[in-house]
Amino acid sequence: MSGTITRRPRAESDLVDIWSYIADENEAAADRLLGKIEGVLAMLAQHPLAGRARPELHRELRSFPCGSYVVFYLPQSDGIEVVRVLSGFLDLDQVEFQ
């Protein structure tokens, strides 16, 4: 069974920003990181409850680390909805998850 991965526009923008930031120094490294993130998304689509529950940030929100980045997502009946992909070093109190 393959799970569906839906990305919110802000999550798409996060991924472009991450790739661009890393690609300024090393495009191959940027491609590898996005490949790892895509692998995490595929795993989460198969196992939507694998991530940590984050009710302090938003109801039903979950997170899963990938290197120094964190995928924030909502479990769906047929996969996941990716809300944001952010640096693990950010102050999450200042981030919008709507």
Side-chain angles (χ1 to χ4, degrees), residues 35-86:
K36 287 180 185 178
I37 292 172
E38 289 299 325
V40 165
L41 297 181
M43 181 278 295
L44 291 171
Q46 293 293 315
H47 307 283
L49 299 179
R52 173 181 161 202
R54 301 303 295 263
E56 75 280 11
L57 299 174
H58 189 271
R59 189 174 65 83
E60 297 182 31
L61 188 71
R62 300 184 82 82
S63 68
F64 196 90
C66 182
S68 60
Y69 291 89
V70 181
V71 173
F72 294 91
Y73 69 97
L74 297 169
Q76 304 293 303
S77 61
D78 62 344
I80 60 169
E81 179 179 7
V82 184
V83 176
R84 301 293 307 262
V85 182
L86 301 169

Side-chain angles (χ1 to χ4, degrees), residues 54 57 72 84 86-97:
R54 301 303 295 263
L57 299 174
F72 294 91
R84 301 293 307 262
L86 301 169
S87 168
F89 300 105
L90 286 180
D91 178 1
L92 296 178
D93 291 334
Q94 307 301 317
V95 175
E96 179 65 42
F97 289 100

Side-chain angles (χ1 to χ4, degrees), residues 21-32:
Y21 177 76
I22 295 170
D24 281 344
E25 295 293 323
N26 187 333
E27 283 189 28
D31 290 342
R32 283 191 302 274

